[in-house]
Amino acid sequence: MIAGLGGGYVLLGSCTSTSRPADIDAEFLHGVASGDPTPTAIVIWTRVSSPGVEAITVEFEVALDAAFQDIIRSGKTLTSAARDFTVKVDVTSLSPGTRYFYRFRAGSIRSATGRTRTLPKASARKVRLAVASCANYGSGFYNAYRAIAEQDDLDAIVHLGDYIYEYGIDGYDGETGRALGRLVDPPHETITLDDYRKRFACYRKDTDLQAAHAAAPFISVWDDHETANNSWMGGAGNHDADAEGSWERRRDAALQVYFEWMPMRDPRPGEAFRSLARTYEFGKVVSLHLIESRLTGRDQPLSLSAIAASAEAPNAVLSDPGRTMLGLRQEKWLEHEFSASVSNGIAWQLLGNQTVMSPMLTPDYLQILPDDILDPILAADGYAANWVRRSALGLPVNLDSWDGYPAARARLLSSAIKANANLVVLSGDSHMFWANDLFREPDNMFAGVEFATGSITSPGGYQSLSPDERIFGIAASATVEKNEGVRAANVRDKGFVLLEVTEGSVEARYVRVNTIAARDFQAETFLIARTERDIEGRLSTLTIAQDSQSR
């Protein structure tokens, strides 16, 4: 610990130079943020901008009130180009379950004020979380982030990845970005350290994202687009080593920037950037276990086309027990965390996870789509036509999710069952909303429930199949009918999930915004899904208080 004006803080990744430049005015163009909470500590973050300087001294203050009349921590740190002028301070020796306010100053210029909260004490009776994922900058305005910022009394915002996207302005949904004037920097795909830094800076200038960060602490984990699309431990679907160089160099540059720009503790000395698994305990109500399912132990994803063309039975290829999503070391860690949480008398074991876990087989769209939707798809004879034709085989919708690793999924669910965990899985990635019951294969034993959030802005796959809006209702209804565990679906809308957790229940309120094409918007709850603990303390299958197959 480094002593300072107020004591009780650790400077994360600060410049170690002993020289202290004179106070320099600098702008705070990227807002403030907090995250990675514990009962007695919180990380606060900002970035300063002052072109032409090599290093800047930044002051910070933490108070119990928004007017900063009761300041309980203060200090100074030095940042420089070595960490892209970002500032992170681990403020320690705080009180559990307490709201704090914080701000920064560089020279005579003061940042916006952020509010944050430490994890609650053991006596806590209720936990409120917002769950978010998938925010492609060019796809629309961040209205859902603004709606999250307007929520009262959140304990934390759980971000499940795809916080940024790596594509250039002519890449993923680039046409929408041009139409809305939301053009990314750099304009090309991100590959180098400088590229990823510019991309984070571009995203974090968005005032709606800044508002969400300033409203509550973030608990974050990456998915694939923080590095490159469909990443795994040996590469990525969107990485060409011949044209783009070493995957390891690109991956490590991306992760360095992630830790610079996100309000979370840096890896400990000697710890790999990729080791991101960790647990947050919200009193006796919730243990939130975050896993890293991309870069630590994920085997290369299989492709639907390869499975469809395989001479072997598709299930035999998919069910190879040697294929892992997390790696065996992380699987053992999670098994231990489940058991420890249950042994400590914590009511719910939440799993913060990137991709959808529930099995989800594709309905036969050749049979269920009306001719006036189907015929134009098939006549175009492109990717959509091939995907629709393959739907007749009943293969999983997405092999980049847990459906591509069914043996690893069975092991995870078995570890939850063995521990008597009340497992609630939180998922992102699909750009669609799902409420699912989870059953272990092959014995179909009930193992938990899943709340999967739609995207903040990123487009869902069904809108690329047809411009006819009937496709959304047909796809949602058919997927629910096809898959036993899928209880409700919305494959069109954008938004987030609000969780309210007590010792007796977990309620998920699915919130959508009515537009991402304009800044004026409305947000509404369109679905409520709930699980409860019975008299023996075991969770129930989902009850759907408000059914919404589509809007």
Side-chain angles (χ1 to χ4, degrees):
M1 182 175 296
I2 300 174
L5 299 181
Y9 61 88
V10 178
L11 304 178
L12 299 176
S14 59
C15 178
T16 57
S17 171
T18 57
S19 64
R20 293 287 182 180
D23 286 350
I24 299 172
D25 286 352
E27 294 183 280
F28 296 91
L29 301 178
H30 303 95
V32 299
S34 70
D36 216 356
T38 77
T40 59
I42 195 81
V43 173
I44 59 173
W45 178 99
T46 194
R47 183 179 188 263
V48 289
S49 300
S50 184
V53 304
E54 296 182 359
I56 301 175
T57 298
V58 180
E59 300 181 23
F60 66 90
E61 295 175 321
V62 180
L64 290 170
D65 64 309
F68 288 82
Q69 297 299 306
D70 191 1
I71 296 174
I72 52 96
R73 296 286 184 276
S74 60
K76 293 183 179 182
T77 184
L78 187 67
T79 187
S80 69
R83 59 177 301 112
D84 202 20
F85 293 99
T86 59
V87 174
K88 287 200 290 189
V89 182
D90 190 357
V91 186
T92 60
S93 302
L94 301 176
S95 300
T98 302
R99 173 174 285 186
Y100 294 95
F101 299 84
Y102 62 96
R103 64 188 182 188
F104 299 86
R105 186 171 68 86
S108 63
I109 299 178
R110 184 169 284 156
S111 73
T113 294
R115 65 178 188 265
T116 191
R117 184 182 294 274
T118 48
L119 295 185
K121 59 186 70 174
S123 59
R125 291 293 176 261
K126 183 171 68 175
V127 175
R128 296 188 76 243
L129 303 171
V131 183
S133 179
C134 303
N136 188 48
Y137 183 83
S139 293
F141 295 108
Y142 284 163
N143 295 335
Y145 278 142
R146 175 65 63 175
I148 290 173
E150 293 171 354
Q151 297 297 315
D152 291 329
D153 211 27
L154 287 176
D155 288 283
I157 298 167
V158 181
H159 201 290
L160 297 175
D162 293 346
Y163 183 95
I164 65 161
Y165 282 70
E166 80 277 20
Y167 302 102
I169 59 174
D170 295 320
Y172 179 57
D173 210 18
E175 185 176 341
T176 302
R178 289 184 183 277
L180 295 177
R182 288 176 68 83
L183 304 179
V184 292
D185 183 36
H188 54 265
E189 186 174 324
T190 55
I191 298 171
T192 68
L193 180 71
D194 185 59
D195 290 341
Y196 283 103
R197 283 174 166 173
K198 287 180 178 177
R199 187 60 54 86
F200 263 91
C202 172
Y203 274 56
R204 289 289 275 276
K205 282 187 177 179
D206 186 279
T207 55
D208 296 320
L209 177 54
Q210 288 183 18
H213 271 296
F218 267 54
I219 295 174
S220 308
V221 65
W222 56 68
D223 192 20
D224 53 340
H225 290 289
E226 287 86 350
T227 49
N229 184 47
N230 288 357
S231 57
W232 54 288
M233 61 180 174
N238 190 31
H239 180 76
D240 182 347
D242 291 336
E244 298 171 332
S246 160
W247 163 247
E248 289 76 15
R249 185 183 303 115
R250 180 180 186 177
R251 176 201 66 197
D252 290 350
L255 298 190
Q256 176 181 331
V257 176
Y258 186 86
F259 280 104
E260 287 173 349
W261 278 82
M262 296 302 287
M264 60 194 302
R265 291 172 183 84
D266 294 344
R268 293 183 293 269
E271 182 181 53
F273 274 173
R274 301 182 301 282
S275 301
L276 203 62
R278 57 209 192 277
T279 293
Y280 300 86
E281 291 189 350
F282 295 77
K284 294 295 184 180
V285 179
V286 167
S287 289
L288 172 61
H289 313 288
L290 259 66
I291 53 177
E292 197 292 300
S293 65
R294 283 290 173 186
L295 306 174
T296 302
R298 179 191 281 248
D299 289 310
Q300 186 170 10
L302 301 170
S303 71
L304 285 170
S305 57
I307 292 293
S310 174
E312 301 181 60
N315 284 340
V317 176
L318 284 172
S319 300
D320 178 356
R323 286 173 52 75
T324 74
M325 187 85 148
L326 306 180
L328 296 181
R329 180 177 179 181
Q330 193 175 184
E331 286 183 9
K332 290 293 185 183
W333 172 86
L334 185 59
E335 181 178 12
H336 172 269
E337 294 298 295
F338 284 156
S339 295
S341 177
V342 173
S343 296
N344 289 335
I346 297 175
W348 299 95
Q349 289 69 49
L350 269 61
L351 182 64
N353 151 76
Q354 292 84 347
T355 58
V356 174
M357 186 169 290
S358 178
M360 203 169 291
L361 300 180
T362 311
D364 185 352
Y365 288 112
L366 290 174
Q367 299 299 318
I368 63 177
L369 287 178
D371 290 344
D372 59 339
I373 294 180
L374 180 63
D375 290 346
I377 295 174
L378 297 180
D381 201 29
Y383 173 83
N386 291 333
W387 189 88
V388 167
R389 292 188 183 104
R390 282 199 299 268
S391 73
L393 301 176
L395 295 174
V397 175
N398 180 16
L399 294 182
D400 189 56
S401 71
W402 284 93
D403 263 337
Y405 305 82
R409 175 173 58 200
R411 290 194 297 271
L412 187 152
L413 295 179
S414 293
S415 68
I417 291 170
K418 179 181 177 182
N420 291 317
N422 288 322
L423 177 64
V424 177
V425 176
L426 309 178
S427 305
D429 181 71
S430 74
H431 309 170
M432 305 172 200
F433 292 98
W434 309 97
N436 304 323
D437 290 324
L438 295 172
F439 299 96
R440 180 180 64 184
E441 298 169 307
D443 62 357
N444 214 38
M445 178 176 286
F446 176 60
V449 301
E450 179 175 30
F451 302 125
T453 184
S455 66
I456 297 293
T457 56
S458 304
Y462 290 103
Q463 71 186 69
S464 67
L465 288 184
S466 172
D468 192 317
E469 291 206 354
R470 289 178 295 165
I471 192 79
F472 301 117
I474 292 169
S477 297
T479 305
V480 171
E481 184 177 348
K482 177 79 172 179
N483 297 280
E484 176 188 7
V486 181
R487 300 291 307 281
N490 179 319
V491 304
R492 185 184 76 170
D493 289 316
K494 309 305 172 195
F496 58 97
V497 172
L498 280 176
L499 288 184
E500 186 166 299
V501 190
T502 67
E503 290 188 1
S505 66
V506 182
E507 182 177 274
R509 304 180 72 87
Y510 291 67
V511 181
R512 65 185 170 201
V513 294
N514 66 331
T515 184
I516 57 172
R519 291 194 179 275
D520 291 334
F521 72 97
Q522 293 180 335
E524 64 175 358
T525 298
F526 68 90
L527 174 73
I528 301 172
R530 182 181 178 90
T531 180
E532 298 181 346
R533 296 173 76 202
D534 62 21
I535 194 170
E536 296 179 349
R538 300 292 296 127
L539 83 168
S540 65
T541 56
L542 290 177
T543 58
I544 307 297
Q546 192 175 327
D547 193 8
S548 177
Q549 303 297 308
S550 64
R551 190 173 69 169

